[in-house]
Amino acid sequence: MARPRKPLLSRDRIIEAAGALVDAEGLEAVSTRRLAAALGVSGPSLYNHFRTKDEILDAVADAVSARVDLSMFDGGQDWRAALHAWAHSYRDALADHPNIVPVLARGPGRRPAGLRLADAVFGAMTAAGWPAAQATRIGALMRYFILGSAVASFAGGFVDDRTAYDPADYPHLGQAHLLAERGREVDEGAFETGLAALLDGLALQYEALPAS
């Protein structure tokens, strides 16, 4: 009886395996040796699809960018509603894969999904009447804010131990030990508060734009 054939090695299989490794153990865990072992192939065979480890990580990052919904920029929503919906979709994608954020923070480079994302935001802002220079700044501002929100949990920085925050030293942190168990609620609330503040500020600038 013939033995089952191994699945053919492909870019998608390599990206999937590398992404799982990044999610589980971080960027430092990714090596051609680890990936080859996970895929049941020899190390050199990976180079038929990717020249370097950095190319693999770029592809993993782009796969995450590809999960971000961009449909709101084609649906007739006003620019503020579109940015709000997009920001939440982007943050949701990053929240599932926080370890890849440092790669995404380098910018889109030549990554197709990352470039489509940047193109969609810039195109929607200029179509709404924002000057090109300001539309570029808005795209950068939103990216800084969204990526920063995904790097770490604010609430997760506090420990669930009342004695860690002596009122003699930290008179305003008497309830800080409660933050750890409410991490998601705190972080989501902070994101929404910051997003609303950003969009409110942009709306004021938009109203001040000279009539075309």
Side-chain angles (χ1 to χ4, degrees):
M1 187 173 180
R3 289 185 297 177
R5 295 175 59 189
K6 292 181 180 178
L8 292 175
L9 189 62
S10 65
R11 285 179 63 90
D12 287 345
R13 284 193 66 214
I14 295 170
I15 293 168
E16 182 179 1
L21 196 53
V22 170
D23 287 344
E25 300 183 39
L27 295 171
E28 298 78 12
V30 178
S31 69
T32 54
R33 180 184 60 81
R34 291 284 304 274
L35 283 175
L39 292 163
V41 299
S42 63
S45 64
L46 299 177
Y47 296 114
N48 293 325
H49 301 276
F50 294 97
R51 292 177 297 176
T52 65
K53 184 182 84 169
D54 284 344
E55 281 192 2
I56 296 173
L57 292 176
D58 264 353
V60 172
D62 212 39
V64 173
S65 293
R67 299 178 186 183
V68 180
D69 183 12
L70 300 176
S71 64
M72 66 285 297
F73 296 119
D74 299 322
Q77 295 189 55
D78 67 41
W79 65 268
R80 177 173 176 152
L83 281 182
H84 185 274
W86 169 71
H88 275 280
S89 177
Y90 199 175
R91 182 174 181 266
D92 288 345
L94 298 182
D96 291 336
H97 308 281
N99 290 340
I100 200 63
V101 170
V103 179
L104 286 164
R106 299 172 193 163
R110 297 175 183 271
R111 299 194 294 267
L115 290 170
R116 284 193 294 271
L117 188 154
D119 181 72
V121 175
F122 180 81
M125 294 306 101
T126 53
W130 286 99
Q134 188 67 347
T136 299
R137 297 185 191 110
I138 290 170
L141 168 67
M142 296 299 293
R143 193 169 68 87
Y144 298 155
F145 174 66
I146 297 165
L147 290 173
S149 75
V151 170
S153 163
F154 172 80
F158 295 88
V159 297
D160 184 13
D161 180 0
R162 182 188 296 270
T163 64
Y165 308 107
D166 189 329
D169 297 319
Y170 316 107
H172 305 297
L173 295 182
Q175 302 297 308
H177 65 285
L178 301 175
L179 291 174
E181 66 182 33
R182 299 176 182 173
R184 182 167 183 170
E185 175 187 350
V186 171
D187 293 336
E188 290 183 353
F191 180 79
E192 187 57 44
T193 298
L195 181 58
L198 284 178
L199 296 177
D200 285 346
L202 289 174
L204 291 175
Q205 294 184 29
Y206 188 73
E207 291 172 4
L209 290 176
S212 56

